mmCIF file of all heavy atoms in Angstrom:
data_model
loop_
_atom_site.group_PDB
_atom_site.id
_atom_site.type_symbol
_atom_site.label_atom_id
_atom_site.label_comp_id
_atom_site.label_asym_id
_atom_site.label_seq_id
_atom_site.Cartn_x
_atom_site.Cartn_y
_atom_site.Cartn_z
ATOM 1 N N VAL A 208 2.890 -1.919 -5.569
ATOM 2 C CA VAL A 208 2.124 -1.677 -4.339
ATOM 3 C C VAL A 208 1.841 -2.999 -3.633
ATOM 4 O O VAL A 208 1.972 -3.102 -2.405
ATOM 5 C CB VAL A 208 0.825 -0.895 -4.626
ATOM 6 C CG1 VAL A 208 -0.055 -0.809 -3.385
ATOM 7 C CG2 VAL A 208 1.157 0.506 -5.146
ATOM 8 N N ILE A 209 1.468 -4.014 -4.381
ATOM 9 C CA ILE A 209 1.218 -5.330 -3.780
ATOM 10 C C ILE A 209 2.474 -5.831 -3.073
ATOM 11 O O ILE A 209 2.404 -6.297 -1.924
ATOM 12 C CB ILE A 209 0.738 -6.331 -4.851
ATOM 13 C CG1 ILE A 209 -0.684 -5.968 -5.318
ATOM 14 C CG2 ILE A 209 0.793 -7.772 -4.318
ATOM 15 C CD1 ILE A 209 -1.152 -6.730 -6.548
ATOM 16 N N GLU A 210 3.623 -5.706 -3.712
ATOM 17 C CA GLU A 210 4.871 -6.185 -3.100
ATOM 18 C C GLU A 210 5.199 -5.421 -1.815
ATOM 19 O O GLU A 210 5.633 -6.021 -0.827
ATOM 20 C CB GLU A 210 6.030 -6.111 -4.093
ATOM 21 C CG GLU A 210 5.900 -7.074 -5.258
ATOM 22 C CD GLU A 210 5.821 -8.538 -4.850
ATOM 23 O OE1 GLU A 210 6.341 -8.933 -3.786
ATOM 24 O OE2 GLU A 210 5.218 -9.315 -5.617
ATOM 25 N N VAL A 211 4.983 -4.126 -1.808
ATOM 26 C CA VAL A 211 5.242 -3.339 -0.590
ATOM 27 C C VAL A 211 4.281 -3.765 0.518
ATOM 28 O O VAL A 211 4.677 -3.885 1.676
ATOM 29 C CB VAL A 211 5.147 -1.827 -0.871
ATOM 30 C CG1 VAL A 211 5.182 -1.029 0.423
ATOM 31 C CG2 VAL A 211 6.294 -1.396 -1.790
ATOM 32 N N GLN A 212 3.027 -4.035 0.179
ATOM 33 C CA GLN A 212 2.048 -4.419 1.193
ATOM 34 C C GLN A 212 2.307 -5.812 1.751
ATOM 35 O O GLN A 212 1.858 -6.131 2.850
ATOM 36 C CB GLN A 212 0.623 -4.305 0.645
ATOM 37 C CG GLN A 212 0.224 -2.890 0.295
ATOM 38 C CD GLN A 212 0.479 -1.876 1.397
ATOM 39 O OE1 GLN A 212 0.139 -2.106 2.563
ATOM 40 N NE2 GLN A 212 1.089 -0.753 1.055
ATOM 41 N N ARG A 213 3.037 -6.639 1.041
ATOM 42 C CA ARG A 213 3.414 -7.970 1.554
ATOM 43 C C ARG A 213 4.505 -7.866 2.624
ATOM 44 O O ARG A 213 4.638 -8.732 3.482
ATOM 45 C CB ARG A 213 3.986 -8.832 0.433
ATOM 46 C CG ARG A 213 3.071 -9.232 -0.658
ATOM 47 C CD ARG A 213 3.867 -10.130 -1.619
ATOM 48 N NE ARG A 213 3.395 -10.172 -2.951
ATOM 49 C CZ ARG A 213 2.575 -11.106 -3.437
ATOM 50 N NH1 ARG A 213 2.103 -12.038 -2.655
ATOM 51 N NH2 ARG A 213 2.230 -11.089 -4.708
ATOM 52 N N MET A 214 5.327 -6.835 2.517
ATOM 53 C CA MET A 214 6.555 -6.760 3.306
ATOM 54 C C MET A 214 6.312 -6.809 4.819
ATOM 55 O O MET A 214 6.903 -7.635 5.519
ATOM 56 C CB MET A 214 7.325 -5.500 2.929
ATOM 57 C CG MET A 214 8.737 -5.478 3.429
ATOM 58 S SD MET A 214 9.639 -4.015 2.879
ATOM 59 C CE MET A 214 9.376 -4.063 1.108
ATOM 60 N N GLY A 215 5.509 -5.911 5.347
ATOM 61 C CA GLY A 215 5.274 -5.868 6.793
ATOM 62 C C GLY A 215 4.734 -7.178 7.344
ATOM 63 O O GLY A 215 5.282 -7.726 8.321
ATOM 64 N N PRO A 216 3.670 -7.719 6.745
ATOM 65 C CA PRO A 216 3.144 -8.989 7.246
ATOM 66 C C PRO A 216 4.152 -10.135 7.164
ATOM 67 O O PRO A 216 4.220 -10.972 8.069
ATOM 68 C CB PRO A 216 1.940 -9.248 6.336
ATOM 69 C CG PRO A 216 1.507 -7.876 5.927
ATOM 70 C CD PRO A 216 2.791 -7.101 5.771
ATOM 71 N N ARG A 217 4.941 -10.173 6.104
ATOM 72 C CA ARG A 217 5.963 -11.222 6.019
ATOM 73 C C ARG A 217 6.979 -11.076 7.140
ATOM 74 O O ARG A 217 7.447 -12.070 7.699
ATOM 75 C CB ARG A 217 6.660 -11.176 4.665
ATOM 76 C CG ARG A 217 5.844 -11.788 3.544
ATOM 77 C CD ARG A 217 6.569 -11.675 2.225
ATOM 78 N NE ARG A 217 5.892 -12.402 1.161
ATOM 79 C CZ ARG A 217 6.132 -12.217 -0.115
ATOM 80 N NH1 ARG A 217 7.056 -11.337 -0.504
ATOM 81 N NH2 ARG A 217 5.480 -12.903 -1.017
ATOM 82 N N LEU A 218 7.343 -9.829 7.461
ATOM 83 C CA LEU A 218 8.284 -9.599 8.565
ATOM 84 C C LEU A 218 7.692 -10.043 9.896
ATOM 85 O O LEU A 218 8.421 -10.370 10.829
ATOM 86 C CB LEU A 218 8.681 -8.121 8.624
ATOM 87 C CG LEU A 218 9.519 -7.626 7.436
ATOM 88 C CD1 LEU A 218 9.659 -6.108 7.484
ATOM 89 C CD2 LEU A 218 10.876 -8.308 7.408
ATOM 90 N N LEU A 219 6.356 -10.056 9.973
ATOM 91 C CA LEU A 219 5.668 -10.537 11.178
ATOM 92 C C LEU A 219 5.435 -12.043 11.143
ATOM 93 O O LEU A 219 4.846 -12.601 12.055
ATOM 94 C CB LEU A 219 4.325 -9.820 11.330
ATOM 95 C CG LEU A 219 4.418 -8.341 11.687
ATOM 96 C CD1 LEU A 219 3.058 -7.670 11.562
ATOM 97 C CD2 LEU A 219 4.982 -8.170 13.092
ATOM 98 N N GLY A 220 5.880 -12.708 10.068
ATOM 99 C CA GLY A 220 5.767 -14.158 9.973
ATOM 100 C C GLY A 220 4.574 -14.657 9.178
ATOM 101 O O GLY A 220 4.336 -15.871 9.122
ATOM 102 N N ALA A 221 3.815 -13.770 8.558
ATOM 103 C CA ALA A 221 2.651 -14.204 7.783
ATOM 104 C C ALA A 221 3.089 -15.025 6.578
ATOM 105 O O ALA A 221 4.070 -14.692 5.912
ATOM 106 C CB ALA A 221 1.833 -12.999 7.335
ATOM 107 N N ARG A 222 2.364 -16.077 6.307
ATOM 108 C CA ARG A 222 2.579 -16.923 5.142
ATOM 109 C C ARG A 222 1.205 -17.330 4.619
ATOM 110 O O ARG A 222 0.206 -17.173 5.277
ATOM 111 C CB ARG A 222 3.390 -18.178 5.497
ATOM 112 C CG ARG A 222 4.797 -17.877 6.014
ATOM 113 C CD ARG A 222 5.662 -17.253 4.925
ATOM 114 N NE ARG A 222 6.992 -16.935 5.375
ATOM 115 C CZ ARG A 222 7.376 -15.736 5.805
ATOM 116 N NH1 ARG A 222 6.529 -14.742 5.890
ATOM 117 N NH2 ARG A 222 8.621 -15.509 6.164
ATOM 118 N N GLY A 223 1.180 -17.864 3.414
ATOM 119 C CA GLY A 223 -0.092 -18.304 2.841
ATOM 120 C C GLY A 223 -0.618 -17.270 1.867
ATOM 121 O O GLY A 223 0.044 -16.947 0.884
ATOM 122 N N ALA A 224 -1.799 -16.709 2.143
ATOM 123 C CA ALA A 224 -2.447 -15.769 1.227
ATOM 124 C C ALA A 224 -1.570 -14.555 0.935
ATOM 125 O O ALA A 224 -1.646 -13.988 -0.151
ATOM 126 C CB ALA A 224 -3.799 -15.334 1.784
ATOM 127 N N ILE A 225 -0.729 -14.170 1.881
ATOM 128 C CA ILE A 225 0.147 -13.016 1.660
ATOM 129 C C ILE A 225 1.105 -13.290 0.502
ATOM 130 O O ILE A 225 1.620 -12.372 -0.124
ATOM 131 C CB ILE A 225 0.909 -12.631 2.953
ATOM 132 C CG1 ILE A 225 1.401 -11.186 2.894
ATOM 133 C CG2 ILE A 225 2.069 -13.573 3.237
ATOM 134 C CD1 ILE A 225 0.335 -10.161 3.011
ATOM 135 N N ASP A 226 1.333 -14.559 0.211
ATOM 136 C CA ASP A 226 2.259 -14.969 -0.840
ATOM 137 C C ASP A 226 1.574 -15.273 -2.170
ATOM 138 O O ASP A 226 2.214 -15.829 -3.073
ATOM 139 C CB ASP A 226 3.046 -16.205 -0.380
ATOM 140 C CG ASP A 226 3.883 -15.915 0.853
ATOM 141 O OD1 ASP A 226 4.557 -14.870 0.869
ATOM 142 O OD2 ASP A 226 3.854 -16.726 1.799
ATOM 143 N N THR A 227 0.298 -14.917 -2.318
ATOM 144 C CA THR A 227 -0.407 -15.163 -3.572
ATOM 145 C C THR A 227 0.422 -14.609 -4.725
ATOM 146 O O THR A 227 0.778 -13.427 -4.721
ATOM 147 C CB THR A 227 -1.801 -14.498 -3.561
ATOM 148 O OG1 THR A 227 -2.542 -15.009 -2.461
ATOM 149 C CG2 THR A 227 -2.543 -14.752 -4.862
#
Side-chain angles (χ1 to χ4, degrees):
V208 172
I209 290 169
E210 293 301 333
V211 170
Q212 296 309 313
R213 294 182 205 264
M214 194 177 307
R217 282 178 173 164
L218 293 171
L219 291 170
R222 298 294 179 264
I225 201 72
D226 298 314
T227 302

